[in-house]
Amino acid sequence: MLLCGVGLIVYTVPSLKYVFFQDYVTIKGTCTVEYDDQSKPRTIDLYYDETGDSFSFLDRADLGAYGPDVPYTCHVTATKDHAFPIAYRIYDVKTDRLLYSSE
């Protein structure tokens, strides 16, 4: 049990350093949004097609459509190592109009 606890601390300390010092980056690009209202708790998932990054939030963005066929422009604020997502904004891909912000 002790060995498992030490391993968990060693694994998370580098990422927690970024959270403590608020050392964040903003990942921008085209993404798809998926929302699962059947799961508990309800989550929204943002998938970046170009980089393969994905981020999950305990939130529900009221968008017109979800899924892989509907692209959006997303800005996700996360730690430098992309381990802890902090906030996100979703924009219309054609007009760059802000549709939803978690901030």
Side-chain angles (χ1 to χ4, degrees):
M1 198 66 158
L2 177 67
L3 194 59
C4 185
V6 169
L8 183 62
I9 288 172
V10 168
Y11 178 73
T12 60
V13 165
S15 297
L16 291 176
K17 173 184 71 170
Y18 295 130
V19 172
F20 182 75
F21 291 112
Q22 296 182 356
D23 197 6
Y24 305 140
V25 296
T26 300
I27 301 100
K28 300 176 183 180
T30 303
C31 72
T32 56
V33 179
E34 292 188 11
Y35 176 69
D36 186 11
D37 61 351
Q38 301 298 322
S39 68
K40 298 285 184 195
R42 295 182 175 151
T43 60
I44 189 168
D45 300 317
L46 306 175
Y47 297 101
Y48 284 90
D49 299 330
E50 297 100 23
T51 62
D53 288 329
S54 64
F55 300 97
S56 294
F57 294 91
L58 298 173
D59 197 4
R60 183 182 194 303
D62 292 325
L63 303 173
Y66 301 99
D69 297 334
V70 184
Y72 293 99
T73 301
C74 298
H75 296 187
V76 174
T77 303
T79 55
K80 278 191 172 182
D81 59 355
H82 299 194
F84 293 106
I86 307 299
Y88 68 96
R89 292 182 307 252
I90 300 174
Y91 296 88
D92 185 282
V93 75
K94 295 176 184 170
T95 63
D96 284 336
R97 184 176 58 96
L98 180 64
L99 298 174
Y100 189 81
S101 176
S102 68
E103 298 171 333

